[in-house]
Structures are given as C-alpha cells and as structure tokens.
Amino acid sequence: MTATGTPSWHPPEIPTLGPVLVVDVASEKHRMYSPPDNGCPAADETSFTAFELHGRLCLAIRISMTNTVQFWTLSVEEDDDDLPWQLLYTIKIDMKDGYNNGFQELEPMNDWFNGGYNGFIQVPEPMDAWLDGETHTLCYREGSTLYSRYIDTTTTQDLSLTEVMSWDSEIYLPEIPNSLQMCNWGIYTGYRPNLLSPFTFASQQDDDEDEEDESSPGEMVPVELWWEVLIRAPTKVVARSSCVSKQWRDIVTNPSFRKLHHDRHAAPPKGDVPYALLVSTDSVDGESVSTVFPAALVSPAVMTGGGHAPICRVSNAYGYHLANVCNGFLCFASWSGGKVVVCNPVTGEKLALPRAPPLEPDLVFASPFTFALGFSPTTGVYKLFRFADHRIDSYALAAGDGACSGWRQHPLSHPCRVAENTPTVVVGGKICVLTPGPVMVVDVASEEHRTYNPADYGCPWAQVAVSGFELHGRLCLVIRTHTDIQFWAMPVEEDNGDQPWQLLYKIKDDTIDVRIGNRVFRRQASMSAWFDGETHALCYKEGYDLYSRFIGTTTTTTSPAAPSLSQTEVLSWDCKIPLPVTPQSLPSCKWDIYAGYRPSLLSPLTFASQQINDDDDEEDDESTSFVHNLLCALRHQKSLKRAS
C-alpha cells in the first residue's frame, strides 16, 4: 500500500491511503490500482491496514466519521482496472466513552510541528486486522481493544455485504505498564511455518563484500553450538529437526547426542503430563504387528476427522504383547514368560533382552505373571522386572549403579497375583503393580518392594475391575464397581501403609447391564483410564465407549494448604464418544490404550554392549561364538593384506 501527500498541518506520521502497488515476484512487473471508493470524502482522516484473506488482498479501512471499519478485497488478476475492489463487510465500532473516534491526542511539539487543532496534534490509534484460521473469525485491533466476528470458511466470492454489521465479541487488552513505555508491539500476518534454513541462500550471495567468506554454510555455525541448542530443545522438536539439514540429521542420529539429550530430559519438569498411546495389535503372516498411535481421542473432531497417522509399527514374533510403557520405551513380552523386546517408537530401534530365568511349569499356567520396565531418575538406570507368584526377577539394562549383572531373583513372602491384562504403572522411580487386592510398589533403584492395602471402595461384596495411571506425579487407581467409577490417588512415599488412599472422584457408570431372567450380568469389557494434558480432562475407556470429564490443572497434593479434592457425591461425565467397532474382517485385532509415555531419543541399542548372554540354549552359544571367531579371523586377514 502507498500513502498520498498530506496537508501541511499534518505531521509526517499520519499517512492517507493512496494507490495500491502490486509487484509480481517472478517477472518483477508492477501495476497500480486506485484505492477503493469508501464513500468518505475526508480521506485524510482514515487509517488502514491489509492482510491476506482466502488468497486475496483484504484492505481494512477505518472510517472515523461513521465509526466503522470497511473490509475490501482486491483481485490482482482482475482485468478491469476501474472496478477491482469488492466490499465484504462494514462493521460498526461502538465507542462507549465517545473519545477521539479512533484518534489519540498528544501534547504539542512546537519544535517540529506547526499548526494543528488548538496546539494539539492527533495521530491514529494503532490498528491491525487478520483472519484467525482456527476459529474462522475476522479479528480487528484498535489501540488496546480487540474485536472479532465469526465468518466461517466461506470464500470471498460470496461474502459481499453492504449492511452495517456488529462484532461478536470485544476484548480489552491489558495496558502497557509504565515501566515499559518504550515497548512497541504489533500483529503481523501472513506467517506460514517451514523448516527451510536461511543458510541455503548463503552460497548464492553476491561476492561484492570487502572480505570474501570462503566457509561453507555448514561451517558458519559450529557443530558444538548446534549440539547445545538441540540438547535444550524438547524431544518432539529435536526429532522433527532431523529434516532441516544433513548436519542436523547427523547430530540427531548420533548415539552420544541421544544419550546426552535423554540425560538432560530424564527428570520430567514440574507439571509434566505423560502422553497416552493407542496400540493396535494384529497377527500378520505369523508375526505380531503392533501399530502405535497417539491416543488423542478425547476430541470428537479427531474421531470424525480421520484421526492421526501412526507413530510407528513394531513387528515381533507371534505371541508378544505390550507389557508396559516406561518413559520413551515400549516393553513387549512373550506369553511364555522368558523373552522381552524393548522398542523406541521415535527412533524405530528395538533390542531383544536376555532371556529371563525359566519359571516352574506349574507357575506358567497356574498363575498370571507380568513384565515391567522401570527407570530410576536418581541413578539413571533402566531395569526390567518380572513379577510372578512368590518371586520377583530383575535385570539391569545398564549396570552403572553398582548392581550385579544378569538376572537376580527376590523371593516374596506372600503371593503376587497380578491383575490379568492390566499393565503396571511407572511413577517416578517406582513401579506400581496392580492386583485384585493390595497394590505392590517396587523401588527401581533399591529393588525393594512394599505392599499397600486396597482402597475402601465401599462395596466389599462387589466384583471390581482395576486400572491405573499417573496423575500429577502420583498413582491414580481406577476402580469400577456396579454403580460408579472411582478414582483414588496414592502417594507412593506415604509412610502409613494402612490408609494411603485419597478419594478424588466418583463418576456415575453409564454402562448398561445385561439381564437374563432374574439375574443381572455385568458386561465384561477392557477398561483404561488416563489424564489428557492438552484438554485437562479425565479420560476413561470401557469397551467401545470413551468418556471424558474436565478437571482442570489442580494437583492431587495432600498439603494442608491445598484445596481438598475429595468428593463424595457422584458426578457425571461431560461427554461420551462411541468408538468404532472392530470389523469382522479383523477378528484377531486387539487394541488398548497405554498411559505414561514420554518421548525420548535414547536408543535401546546403547544397552546391547552391557548384556550378558544367559541363554541356556547351547546351540545359540556355539553359533554366537563361531560368528565372533569368524569375524576376528576376517579382520586379522584384512590387516595382514594392508600391511603387505
């Protein structure tokens, strides 16, 4: 846009609207368009701005005489130079205080200003206009007031309106403090994010400078500086940055960088909420294929809009299932109870861990067992645990904390009957094992365990289903009774083992029971629960129904100064979303939701060098030894050829 000449009594800071200059970037040709006929003879008392609206230039003109804002669009491909403008909206601004009609008065400055109204000058209030693509609203800012009006996604071809309209909402922006009088701020439109580096233009710069720079674009910034920048960035940002340049990709794929980045972000920040994953497992050609999605299912728009692309697909031998999620690792275990595979969905790498000691034949079929991967923030060590009846087996993936290598067995004085199809929950440096009765908590660093009595859910005669997840750094136990869904919080550092539980919510169970004759049967369906950090909602899935309720960001701390969250009344869910039923063509497909995922760049292959092969199969040992000796002989022969 251009500004015309102003009368002599106006200071240079007040431009008036002139012709619009349009320059074609490719051909560098230009055209001039006359300004729109806004019907205001006092054109010198207008302020204006422009932005892009549905691929066309939109000009916002503030008419002081009528207290309105006109929005005009210009079709730059228009052949008719006389009528290229189209009026879209005329929206009235209500000046409640009646002051200055879009202008602000300033004290006279006689050293550079001569004239004006009674020795004072008037300059327009700062104004901006833009289209908000997420809410489909037309936004306008004047001074410290923000206006908006919903216009939907309709193109500008059918939006011509001549009547004077009104704004939908009016928001008063905070005033700039006196300490920031020199602070200038504004709104700039037209931004579309991309990953192109400006260094790609460095090789095309003209060599007209006094000093020639012979360094390549990659040498302009030291690699050490990029390391420090990327180490500080979140995991999701770093993972995406590998697409920026080859230099960044080399840094992100460097095992040392991944280890440093993991160590920097190993302890979650205060208020951090882990993600939930939707995992679908299917049998394909004798393999167990697990497809991992982000479980952003609480929004109805996601359910009807096609969902998300999968994070990764993991193929294992048939008979593997996802045991639990720990930080950025997925732990897959075989039903036989001996083989475990650890996978990082961000890097796509997986590692088979040494076989666990065999269980007694009667334990394999008589009582359930489960695997769990845990992490200790204090020692930085990952450990694998297997929980079975009267025993716990543990294995340190990185024996850097003084722990013995290989599998270790810890006897239990009481039976450990884990809840079937219920993954363990990792909270801080502890693993919480859910059972139909007590809850067992195992410290990852010391491998010591402790048992907590079950929560008093008020129905000792009822058959309950149990699930759990991490909620604000504490274990949240979900108990489904015949009438409601109860959420209990347990501080794992609680000294009192008898009453560590705190009732948070009771939410009505909307599941329809099945009645056959005079007997009522409870529908047996898989259940999962988690906390969605983006919507601050409590989510619960049972069968093919998904429920959610907004609970905000309130923590579950038991501090006396904190508000108590215990609620005895039965609440109701905010929304219910029917999930799609698994098609009959996929009868073997199983899916569930696993909470507690925090993305990480650490590769499981970093644990490979510290493994000890405890497999009892002598043939595997002989083949491994043969391959090792063969490689050593080949390397020795190659070195002799180089020497000769």
Side-chain angles (χ1 to χ4, degrees), residues 622-637:
E622 292 179 359
S623 62
T624 303
S625 177
F626 170 75
V627 172
H628 177 72
N629 295 332
L630 178 61
L631 290 177
C632 292
L634 292 176
R635 292 193 187 99
H636 179 67
Q637 184 181 12

Side-chain angles (χ1 to χ4, degrees), residues 52 134 188-198 237 240 244:
E52 178 186 346
E134 295 185 358
Y188 298 86
T189 63
Y191 173 70
R192 292 180 173 89
N194 72 78
L195 295 177
L196 183 63
S197 171
V237 176
R240 294 171 180 171
V244 175

Side-chain angles (χ1 to χ4, degrees), residues 259 376 378-383 395-406 408 445 447 606-607 610-611:
K259 182 66 168 61
S376 173
T378 57
T379 60
V381 174
Y382 287 89
K383 291 184 179 181
Y395 175 82
L397 274 67
D401 60 342
C404 299
S405 301
R408 300 171 299 279
E447 302 184 8
T606 57
F607 308 133
Q610 305 183 32
Q611 290 185 8

